[in-house]
Amino acid sequence: MRIGIVTDIHDQVKILAEVLAILRAEAVDAIVTLGDNTDLFGKWNKADGVADLLRGAGAVGVWGNHDFGLCRNVPEETQFRFLRKTLDYFATLQPRLELGGCHFSHIEPFLDPERTDDLWTFEGRPEDEERTAKSFAAVPHRAAILGHFHRWLALSDTGRVAWDGAVPLHFEPDKRYLVLVAPLFRGAFAVLDTDRGIIEPRNLPRREEPT
């Protein structure tokens, strides 16, 4: 199964449209979003446009700390700010997702995405030995794929992997992995091949700043 992965979109509609077009052209089997699709309280909120693109691509996924407020128990005053179809899409996002034998969540697996304090925690680093051990103990999957930290990072159950998102990461058959995907708002996304055990980091070409 080939899964296109986007995370931390943060209202970047144009970049999202470009990435989704690439994933459709490659005929991936599924598209997963790892949350923070919009910044609910951001000045330039574009949740309607983001939801429209993700829904059109058939994307499934999980919520993050910035979009959780649109996914569950949405206050009436917030509902008035968005289209009904936007709210319906965000209501489909889950705390965690299992697909192709892999775990997907916005935050580390040992944290609870349904607790606001856990969603917003930035204490410690995922590569800290104690946190890594908790994550591997929390889920049984061969690979857990996360967003939230705005960087590429790979950890195995035997320690940190020498990988910075510049080349594909091949999963060794006797190891389990925790992989962080860099943010879409910087042009990053990934394709995970669950049959071959490979995650391919992708980055859109950097654009020249207008003069």
Side-chain angles (χ1 to χ4, degrees):
M1 184 178 196
R2 295 181 73 245
I3 303 171
I5 302 168
V6 298
T7 188
D8 297 276
I9 298 164
H10 287 288
D11 296 306
Q12 294 300 315
V13 175
K14 290 183 179 179
I15 297 176
L16 177 61
E18 188 171 348
V19 167
L20 292 177
I22 292 170
L23 294 174
R24 279 195 296 268
E26 294 189 15
V28 295
D29 299 299
I31 296 175
V32 170
T33 173
L34 299 180
D36 279 4
N37 303 289
T38 186
D39 185 350
L40 179 56
F41 303 104
K43 183 178 181 181
W44 307 113
N45 183 284
K46 295 180 181 177
D48 291 331
V50 169
D52 199 43
L53 286 169
L54 291 173
R55 182 178 56 252
V60 296
V62 301
W63 62 62
N65 48 305
H66 284 271
D67 57 7
F68 173 67
L70 280 178
C71 301
R72 294 292 186 276
N73 303 316
V74 184
E76 190 172 328
E77 59 270 23
T78 301
Q79 294 183 35
F80 287 139
R81 296 171 51 197
F82 302 98
L83 299 174
R84 181 73 255 169
K85 61 181 181 179
T86 298
L87 297 171
D88 289 345
Y89 178 76
F90 276 93
T92 69
L93 300 181
Q94 302 297 313
R96 307 173 186 84
L97 181 69
E98 181 177 331
L99 189 65
C102 297
H103 167 97
F104 298 89
S105 59
H106 187 67
I107 53 177
E108 294 154 281
F110 72 89
L111 295 170
D112 183 355
E114 299 189 75
R115 293 187 67 251
T116 302
D117 288 348
D118 280 6
L119 270 177
W120 283 94
T121 185
F122 292 98
E123 296 180 5
R125 303 179 302 168
E127 61 264 48
D128 291 345
E129 187 174 338
E130 182 179 353
R131 296 180 76 88
T132 301
K134 286 182 180 180
S135 286
F136 283 116
V139 292
H141 307 83
R142 181 185 185 188
I145 316 297
L146 319 175
H148 190 56
F149 292 95
H150 296 182
R151 59 183 173 129
W152 299 108
L153 177 70
L155 306 161
S156 79
D157 49 3
T158 60
R160 184 165 181 170
V161 178
W163 181 77
D164 60 3
V167 296
L169 174 64
H170 295 252
F171 299 158
E172 295 183 31
D174 58 343
K175 291 183 179 180
R176 298 171 62 211
Y177 288 85
L178 187 73
V179 180
L180 274 58
V181 176
L184 181 131
F185 72 79
R186 292 182 185 149
F189 61 109
V191 176
L192 172 65
D193 189 322
T194 61
D195 296 326
R196 297 168 61 208
I198 301 173
I199 186 165
E200 304 172 33
R202 306 284 187 86
N203 291 278
L204 294 179
R206 288 186 177 273
R207 296 174 174 80
E208 295 293 333
E209 293 293 331
T211 57

